[in-house]
Amino acid sequence: MPIVERLRKKFRELYGQEPIVVAAPGRVNLIGEHTDYNEGFVLPGAVDKRMYIAIASVAEPAITIYANQFKESYTFNPTEELQPVTGWMNYLLGVTHHIKAAGKTIGGAQVLIDGDIPVGAGMSSSAALCSAYGFALNELFSLGLTRMELAFIGQKTEHTFVGVKCGIMDQFASLHGKRGHVMKLDCRNLEYEYIPFEFPDHKIVLVNSMVSHSLAGSEYNVRRQQCEEGVGILKKSYPAINSLRDVSLEMLQEHHHELTPVVYDRCWYVVTEKDRLLNGCEALKRGDLQAFGKLMIATHNGLSKQYAVSCTQLDFLAERAGYIEGVMGSRMMGGGFGGCTINIVQTEAVEAFTHQIQRSFETLFQVTPEVYVTQIEDGTHVVVGDEVYH
Ligand code: GLA
């Protein structure tokens, strides 16, 4: 049974009423990694894997949630002061808290969650959960929040309830996605441009390293601090700079000796990634996937060596992909320390690619990596009827 139909049926069984259903996608990011919190550009797209929230209101001040993936329920009073807890419900508590902090009133609700975004695979299932739930509350209680405001509420939830000082890319992408397009987002002023990604002869294929990145929050925050440390030191010579966005390679090289080798490497990666993204956008607009693929490989090398957010499995997947016919480019994607590689593969080569990468990974790591052939789809939306997704 298609997922939305199953969700509505389950909701009726659990709560005896008809829900509103909201779908929020996970994301891929073509290039521009670890640039969002450095006020750089990113190039994400929403994908055909989603978190779903079914929701209906009730008179009493209680929000009851059933998470179908975990077969667990949780109830809280939205009018009380909410504190972080551990577990999936933490995201919903955080979003509720931050919607209230924005001056909005939330009543009681019955909620059912389901989804098909692999958790811990670097496809932003948590951002999608926050987007789906925030969007659903916004619809149900006519709160009048914009998509951008909902994205910030999701980001604040990560910062304050989860403890990951993430950028805005994941939440933005889940809420603003557009079928057949990636988004060139300027994380400094939040202006964005939709760029068509319509290459019928190519697919975006994710390969899951099967290393869950969920424990990587603290290292992620360390990278952010290292970038800030670099900016703090360079600011003494260039008072006008506010972030690595304002730093050129020349400026960085000139002050090499003032930074520790580690901080220099981190800054070097971010500064060079800015240019790769701009060149990548030009390559896409020209339809030059060959050039784009080369940039992806350079990004992977920077993330692995200078930024040090890769792992053995991801390095293996990215390198191995380079030897398989029909692969334009491959690199680790997202925060790192696990999760997926993103690969651009000729459509006709996808089957052989999948087979080869899975077999060689199995030989080395004794586990079969999951492979997801993705489509770029629309962002968070209310699902009409039993809309069937492929
Ligand atoms: C995670 C974060 C994003 C971004 C990426 C790396 O997905 O949530 O904000 O920093 O890592 O590009």
Side-chain angles (χ1 to χ4, degrees):
M1 192 189 293
I3 190 158
V4 175
E5 203 182 322
R6 202 172 67 216
L7 196 76
R8 288 188 196 280
K9 183 164 172 279
K10 177 93 185 167
F11 194 92
R12 282 193 294 268
E13 282 165 17
L14 279 174
Y15 303 122
Q17 57 172 336
E18 281 297 328
I20 298 174
V21 177
V22 169
R27 61 104 189 87
V28 290
N29 184 30
L30 292 191
I31 201 158
E33 217 65 91
H34 285 275
T35 44
D36 57 355
Y37 54 84
N38 287 303
E39 298 197 329
F41 291 92
V42 289
L43 195 62
V47 291
D48 55 342
K49 294 210 175 286
R50 305 174 178 89
M51 292 301 302
Y52 298 89
I53 292 273
I55 195 166
S57 59
V58 287
E60 57 276 12
I63 296 190
T64 305
I65 311 154
Y66 185 78
N68 205 31
Q69 287 160 300
F70 299 102
K71 306 278 176 266
E72 276 174 21
S73 65
Y74 187 79
T75 302
F76 66 96
N77 182 341
T79 63
E80 285 172 2
E81 183 65 29
L82 302 172
Q83 300 294 338
V85 298
T86 32
W88 54 267
M89 62 292 279
N90 195 27
Y91 295 98
L92 293 97
L93 291 169
V95 169
T96 311
H97 170 86
H98 285 294
I99 290 184
K100 283 167 57 190
K104 307 289 179 184
T105 307
I106 297 172
Q110 292 167 325
V111 180
L112 171 62
I113 311 174
D114 209 344
D116 56 9
I117 308 176
V119 174
M123 293 169 73
S124 298
S125 58
S126 55
L129 176 58
C130 292
S131 303
Y133 176 67
F135 197 94
L137 289 178
N138 198 33
E139 286 291 315
L140 190 67
F141 298 115
S142 304
L143 304 178
L145 293 163
T146 63
R147 285 176 186 265
M148 202 58 103
E149 284 168 332
L150 288 168
F152 281 123
I153 283 168
Q155 186 194 27
K156 277 189 217 152
T157 296
E158 293 279 354
H159 285 196
T160 58
F161 272 62
V162 185
V164 177
K165 304 283 180 203
C166 64
I168 193 66
M169 170 171 74
D170 304 347
Q171 295 77 9
F172 171 87
S174 184
L175 282 150
H176 295 81
K178 181 170 165 180
R179 174 174 294 183
H181 293 75
V182 288
M183 295 157 275
K184 180 184 173 194
L185 171 68
D186 182 340
C187 299
R188 176 150 69 184
N189 58 18
L190 300 174
E191 282 175 9
Y192 58 98
E193 180 193 351
Y194 287 107
I195 300 181
F197 188 87
E198 276 163 345
F199 296 95
D201 295 342
H202 293 81
K203 295 274 183 226
I204 296 173
V205 183
L206 306 184
V207 183
N208 192 340
S209 67
M210 309 309 275
V211 179
S212 171
H213 74 157
S214 62
L215 297 174
S218 55
E219 272 302 308
Y220 181 95
N221 293 346
V222 169
R223 293 299 171 281
R224 192 170 178 152
Q225 277 163 16
Q226 289 165 335
C227 293
E228 282 161 12
E229 189 182 326
V231 172
I233 292 167
L234 293 169
K235 211 173 163 58
K236 291 182 194 143
S237 307
Y238 307 100
I241 66 166
N242 286 317
S243 65
L244 288 178
R245 167 70 173 271
D246 304 320
V247 175
S248 67
L249 199 53
E250 292 69 35
M251 287 158 76
L252 187 62
Q253 278 164 346
E254 202 175 317
H255 296 274
H256 196 162
H257 55 282
E258 295 166 32
L259 308 172
T260 65
V262 167
V263 169
Y264 177 81
D265 275 358
R266 307 297 189 248
C267 294
W268 184 90
Y269 162 75
V270 173
V271 168
T272 56
E273 180 72 353
K274 281 190 308 188
D275 282 348
R276 274 191 294 274
L277 183 135
L278 297 177
N279 294 335
C281 289
E282 292 313 310
L284 273 194
K285 287 179 184 167
R286 293 196 306 273
D288 188 349
L289 286 184
Q290 208 125 35
F292 193 85
K294 287 200 178 115
L295 294 166
M296 290 172 77
I297 295 164
T299 292
H300 182 85
N301 291 336
L303 286 168
S304 177
K305 297 192 178 73
Q306 283 77 22
Y307 217 62
V309 291
S310 187
C311 64
T312 315
Q313 288 85 339
L314 286 170
D315 285 346
F316 172 80
L317 288 173
E319 197 191 333
R320 179 75 185 88
Y323 294 104
I324 300 177
E325 209 171 327
V327 177
M328 315 308 289
S330 175
R331 66 175 191 82
M332 58 148 283
M333 182 183 78
F337 308 103
C340 293
T341 56
I342 176 170
N343 305 267
I344 299 185
V345 185
Q346 281 170 3
T347 307
E348 58 187 27
V350 168
E351 217 181 298
F353 167 77
T354 304
H355 181 80
Q356 289 181 43
I357 203 111
Q358 284 185 324
R359 294 301 86 80
S360 39
F361 191 90
E362 275 166 3
T363 309
L364 212 59
F365 300 105
Q366 283 77 50
V367 55
T368 309
E370 287 170 12
V371 172
Y372 321 111
V373 181
T374 61
Q375 310 253 48
I376 305 278
E377 290 291 346
D378 284 337
T380 308
H381 60 280
V382 172
V383 181
V384 184
D386 283 340
E387 191 172 333
V388 178
Y389 300 102
H390 35 91

